Amino acid sequence: MTEQHSHQFERGTDGPKVIVVGVDGSESSFRAAAYAGGLARRQHALLAVVYVQPVMAAGAALGVPVSETTDEIAEDLVAQIREAAERVKGIYDVRWEFHTFRGDPFNGLVKAADDLKADAVVVGASEQAGHRIIGSVAIRLVKAGRWPVTVVP
C-alpha cells in the first residue's frame, strides 16, 4: 500500500516566479522597480509592476475627477516603464506586466500579491515623515508575513 501525500503549492522554493513591485511615481518606488527588475532578470521571473489607484484623493475635495487623475498617473507610469524597458532592450530581458488595483496602498498591494500569486514583494521606503509614527506600507507588508518583502531605500 502506498502512502498518499497531499502537495500544496509552495511559493519560492526554486526561486521566485512572480515578483510584485509597487510603484507610485516616487523616487523610492522607481528605485524599487529597478531593483525588482534586476531580481526578476536574474531569477527569470515575471515582474508584476503594480500601481494602486487611490479610491479617494485630495483632489476630490476640490472637484477634480479622481478616476481621471489616477488613470493619468497610471498611463504616465506605464510610459516611463516602457521607456526604461526600451533603453535596456537587447541588453537585459525582463518579462513584465503592469497592473492597477484600487484602494489604499497596503490593501491594494496585498490583493495584487495574492491575485498574482507573488513569491516576493518589493517596495520603496516611505518618504513621508508620518509613517515613522503610524507605520509605513512596507512595515505593514512585512508584518503580514505572507511573502518575503524587500524594502528599497
Side-chain angles (χ1 to χ4, degrees):
M1 184 173 215
T2 60
E3 198 176 313
Q4 289 277 337
H5 292 285
S6 66
H7 289 301
Q8 265 188 299
F9 176 71
E10 190 174 350
R11 294 183 181 164
T13 52
D14 295 325
K17 296 294 177 220
V18 178
I19 299 168
V20 166
V21 60
V23 294
D24 61 5
S26 67
E27 284 298 315
S28 67
S29 78
F30 284 128
R31 286 192 296 273
Y35 179 88
L39 184 60
R41 177 183 55 81
R42 290 186 298 278
Q43 297 289 334
H44 305 290
L46 173 67
L47 178 63
V49 181
V50 174
Y51 168 61
V52 180
Q53 291 183 308
V55 174
M56 183 79 173
L62 304 172
V64 177
V66 175
S67 63
E68 286 178 27
T69 304
T70 57
D71 286 346
E72 287 172 16
I73 293 168
E75 287 169 19
D76 185 51
L77 290 171
V78 170
Q80 289 181 56
I81 294 162
R82 280 204 175 107
E83 184 181 304
E86 279 300 311
R87 283 197 302 266
V88 297
K89 196 172 187 175
I91 302 167
Y92 300 116
D93 286 323
V94 177
R95 292 181 306 124
W96 64 277
E97 301 173 345
F98 184 82
H99 299 271
T100 59
F101 287 81
R102 289 197 181 283
D104 67 273
F106 171 74
N107 288 312
L109 285 171
V110 166
K111 180 163 177 39
D114 284 345
D115 289 0
L116 300 169
K117 296 193 178 0
D119 296 299
V121 177
V122 179
V123 292
S126 174
E127 295 176 351
Q128 295 180 359
H131 285 168
R132 290 188 189 103
I133 299 162
I134 57 171
S136 68
V137 171
I139 289 169
R140 292 172 65 196
L141 287 168
V142 170
K143 285 182 177 179
R146 291 160 61 179
W147 329 264
V149 177
T150 302
V151 183
V152 178

